[in-house]
Amino acid sequence: ISSEGSIGYAQMGWQEQHDFTSANGYGDLIDPQTGVVYKSPKSLRAVVSYYYLEIPLQGSLHLGHARFRSVTSIGISPAYLLRATSTAHLEFTDGSTERSVSDNTSAYKTFGLFATLSSGVSFRLSDRVELQLQPTFRYGLLNVMRRSRPTSGAHGSPSVPG
């Protein structure tokens, strides 16, 4: 049995892809009064990223006495939000692309708390050096949004530039 603490930098987030070609089928929009042609987006890839400074604290259970051992860890990781961004990658019907990045840090709470659980193997290289392979599952324990019930178009959703 052992315990450990450290400090780290973590990037988390999600992304989604939207294909508009099959949905609208109308092509580019044309203003009937001025004749101006507005490019229609063909696809959108939305990426939301969170950048945290963390202080993970965990306890570990090592089973076995050979060079290869089983390792299981459980812990908690308080985190401070450094930055949150939303990025929209647009591809238009004419083949051109556009990328826009929005800083959404103010839409999120600055303190986060994550529970962690991992299990894997360790390989002892020497009396003082050990190599561990431990996939980790993380779960956010706190609501990160400043509002408890975001409305449609709330912060954190990349918007299509107009």
Side-chain angles (χ1 to χ4, degrees), residues 18-27 40-44 91-93:
H18 298 280
D19 183 11
F20 299 118
T21 54
S22 60
N24 65 21
Y26 296 114
S40 294
K42 176 179 161 186
S43 66
L44 164 69
E91 182 181 353
F92 294 95
T93 53

Side-chain angles (χ1 to χ4, degrees), residues 113-147:
L113 190 61
F114 301 93
T116 61
L117 176 66
S118 63
S119 185
V121 295
S122 68
F123 178 69
R124 192 174 335 166
L125 298 173
S126 70
D127 288 341
R128 294 181 175 248
V129 179
E130 184 176 82
L131 180 64
Q132 293 184 356
L133 177 61
Q134 262 183 291
T136 302
F137 172 77
R138 302 167 53 92
Y139 183 79
L141 299 173
L142 302 176
N143 181 4
V144 296
M145 296 295 293
R146 288 208 181 270
R147 294 191 234 174

